[in-house]
Amino acid sequence: IFFFFNDTATTEIYTEQIVGSVRCVQETGINAEYMGIIYIKNKLKMGRVPRVQRKGNPKSIFKSHNFHRVAPAKFRGLDYAERHGYIKGVVQQIVHDPGRGAPLAKVIFRDPYRYKNRTEYYIATEGMYTGQFIYCGKKAAIQTGNVLPVNSIPEGTAVVNVEQRPGDQGSFSRASGTYATVIGQTDDGLKTRIRLPSGARKTIDGASRAMIGIVAAGARTEKPILKAGNNYHKFKVKRKIWPRVRGVTMNPVDHKYGGGNHQHIGRPSTTSRFAPAGQKVGLIAARRTGRVRGGRDDKNKEK
């Protein structure tokens, strides 16, 4: 903090580290109220806050646009009926959820404990239609749209909206056109091995639930965008992620890759393992960057 006194005879600059409120240094006995003290509240700042760090601020323009969303897509709560038998629901409507590629199925269930109906929104699978009855529970049949524990599903079956843990109402394989595959069971049924859409294999609890089928709208990405306006409306309902300006096109004040007579990075694009928390984003301690080309044998050679 810098203090400037108007009296030329006693002009001095006092520098202090100030914590909390600003207090005045008066060594000459001059009343500071009448001397017109000018102080700089914050230290001089250079540069800008990078875009990748601005996204961490919950009040920034990068927050999700969720005003028109229909509902979270999740299974009904795990109860006695699903653990020991099954419960029947009817698909009342197939709806579009803004910002989501897959359609949602509005499913109506009878409440097993009260005289009322329960409305749930499930991720729609291929072949699902309005008026279809779907069954959820351990003793449900192996049919498209039914929800069962994965230890009751035969190996090789395509499933969607797989729970990571029993009762979490769906975690894996939820995007349009995706599906996971049951590839193995333990003898006691406590653990089940599945292959995720990425190709990775994962072992989950056998009591975790999944829906039989493939997520609908798999051909969504085959329709060409054709013009920038379609992309604008596509991402407007999601969040501020388009258009994305490259860092090398910016000025040095705006991005660490900015500036220079040619558009080039001019420094490593990776981040140190020992970088501070706010800077530790992107390719952290990466051994290599870019696309992984070649087969699995080439990947093993690189390791």
Side-chain angles (χ1 to χ4, degrees), residues 89-94 105-107 128-134:
V90 60
V91 178
Q92 189 182 66
Q93 194 179 4
I94 305 293
K106 184 179 180 182
V107 186
M128 189 174 284
Y129 55 91
T130 56
Q132 175 185 356
F133 290 112
I134 64 172

Side-chain angles (χ1 to χ4, degrees), residues 35-54:
M35 300 311 296
I37 295 178
I38 302 172
Y39 63 90
I40 302 174
K41 189 173 182 180
N42 296 324
K43 295 181 180 179
L44 294 176
K45 291 184 177 180
M46 295 183 64
R48 303 284 191 272
V49 180
R51 174 178 55 200
V52 70
Q53 292 184 2
R54 289 166 59 204

Side-chain angles (χ1 to χ4, degrees), residues 283-295:
L283 302 168
I284 300 173
R287 292 185 175 90
R288 63 181 304 281
T289 60
R291 286 178 54 197
V292 178
R293 304 179 68 93

Side-chain angles (χ1 to χ4, degrees), residues 8-24:
T8 56
T10 59
T11 300
E12 292 181 357
I13 300 178
Y14 297 89
T15 305
E16 264 199 354
Q17 295 291 332
I18 295 184
V19 179
S21 61
V22 178
R23 48 191 185 81
C24 182

